[in-house]
Amino acid sequence: MPGLRGLNPAEADFWWWRLPDGDNGVRRAAEDHEAWRHLTPRAVRRHYHGLLTPPPGATGLAYTDRETEGDPAAEQVLLYEDRVSAPGRLLVTTMDPVYRQGSRFTPGATQLLLGLLRWTAVKS
């Protein structure tokens, strides 16, 4: 992936929603970003398959505070927008809404997928 400075493994917890507090540690970043007009907090509260270190200038949008690899908002990123590493816009995530939506394994994945599609359909 152009610009990606790191992809660190993370153990996927497919059953996080069964935790007593129902909180898997996924947090929103860049609260004033246009993406949040299309993505609800619940839509990004998903399991993930790795921790991203985005390139300088990219905008981290979701991160986890449950891992131990450095600064969560910079090195434990789960979703980011990159407009600096290549022409156009890259959306990079370790959440997997397309696979989960298609397999009907995790119905909540639809919220993330539809939110991403609605956001990217907006001219910016």
Side-chain angles (χ1 to χ4, degrees), residues 32-54:
D32 59 340
H33 194 278
E34 65 178 326
W36 301 123
R37 290 193 297 266
H38 307 279
L39 294 166
T40 66
R42 186 169 181 241
V44 295
R45 186 165 283 173
R46 315 223 37 78
H47 71 270
Y48 48 88
H49 297 276
L51 308 173
L52 302 165
T53 303

